[in-house]
């Protein structure tokens, strides 16, 4: 039977077999886990990371964004968790699944490319600076000699 709400539980370590109707949240491992609310019994793992899911705790209830689309399970459940409420969405069509996958990998790519760019930018800049100052000192040397 489809559930319409979950209760949240902050835990240190995520249990291997989560109980039905509980959203386990581990801040330490930046992960939330719950059993698929359709009743199929599958474990849904949602890593809390900037390019994956965001968790919002308002002191009483939790929300996860974006939505959870379990297209890897036969049930293909798709729902939002908003203030501990399960808001069921339409089942995804194959096209929507593909689009979702692309969007996800795009977000991940942007996330990792952003990181790489940051790491690459600094040495590139300093090489340019070195070249510039090298040229300047060569000009000074030339001026000094003439
Ligand atoms: Zn399910």
């Amino acid at each position: 039977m489809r559930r319409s709400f979950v209760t949240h539980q902050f835990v240190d370590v995520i249990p291997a077999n989560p109980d039905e109707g509980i959203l386990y949240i581990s801040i330490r491992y930046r992960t939330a886990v719950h059993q698929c609310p359709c009743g199929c019994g599958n474990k849904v793992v949602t890593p809390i990371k900037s390019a994956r899911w965001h968790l919002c705790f308002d002191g009483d209830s939790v929300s996860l964004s974006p939505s959870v689309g379990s297209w890897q399970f036969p049930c293909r459940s798709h729902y939002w968790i908003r203030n501990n409420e399960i808001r069921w969405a339409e089942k995804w069509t194959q096209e929507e699944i593909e689009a979702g996958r692309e969007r996800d990998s795009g977000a991940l790519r942007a996330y990792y490319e952003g990181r790489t760019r940051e790491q690459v930018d600094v040495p590139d800049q300093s090489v340019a600076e070195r070249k510039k100052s090298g040229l300047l000192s060569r000009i000074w040397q030339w001026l000094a000699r003439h």
Side-chain angles (χ1 to χ4, degrees), residues 94-145:
Q94 195 57 41
E95 294 86 79
E96 284 168 326
I97 291 169
E98 300 294 329
R101 272 196 191 137
E102 252 165 56
R103 196 193 49 221
D104 282 357
S105 63
L108 271 180
R109 216 181 307 126
Y111 174 70
Y112 287 115
E113 274 178 6
R115 293 197 137 186
T116 324
R117 248 200 315 275
E118 271 167 38
Q119 286 161 358
V120 168
D121 262 1
V122 179
D124 274 355
Q125 237 166 22
S126 57
V127 166
E129 290 292 319
R130 263 204 305 278
K131 271 188 193 153
K132 216 192 302 170
S133 60
L135 181 67
L136 266 182
S137 67
R138 274 205 301 279
I139 291 171
W140 278 114
Q141 277 163 16
W142 185 86
L143 284 174
R145 265 186 269 128

Side-chain angles (χ1 to χ4, degrees), residues 7-132:
T7 48
H8 64 274
Q9 202 172 304
F10 287 102
V11 291
D12 228 25
V13 178
I14 298 282
N17 299 304
D19 278 343
E20 216 186 320
I22 299 175
L23 179 73
Y24 298 88
I25 302 152
S26 168
I27 299 294
R28 190 170 155 199
Y29 293 105
R30 296 193 292 168
T31 300
V33 164
H34 64 285
Q35 225 187 76
C36 180
C38 86
C40 68
N42 280 304
K43 185 162 93 174
V44 182
V45 182
T46 49
I48 316 290
K49 285 184 185 141
S50 58
R52 303 302 297 279
W53 278 275
H54 289 209
L55 179 88
C56 178
F57 174 54
D58 68 3
D60 293 314
S61 63
V62 294
S63 303
L64 263 188
S65 63
S67 61
V68 181
S70 295
W71 56 71
Q72 73 274 31
F73 301 147
C75 66
R76 292 191 165 186
S77 291
H78 181 204
Y79 49 91
W80 281 266
I81 300 179
R82 285 277 171 277
N83 300 107
N84 287 27
E85 228 179 84
I86 311 259
R87 299 204 187 150
W88 289 92
E90 293 301 309
K91 284 197 178 168
W92 287 13
T93 62
Q94 195 57 41
E95 294 86 79
E96 284 168 326
I97 291 169
E98 300 294 329
R101 272 196 191 137
E102 252 165 56
R103 196 193 49 221
D104 282 357
S105 63
L108 271 180
R109 216 181 307 126
Y111 174 70
Y112 287 115
E113 274 178 6
R115 293 197 137 186
T116 324
R117 248 200 315 275
E118 271 167 38
Q119 286 161 358
V120 168
D121 262 1
V122 179
D124 274 355
Q125 237 166 22
S126 57
V127 166
E129 290 292 319
R130 263 204 305 278
K131 271 188 193 153
K132 216 192 302 170

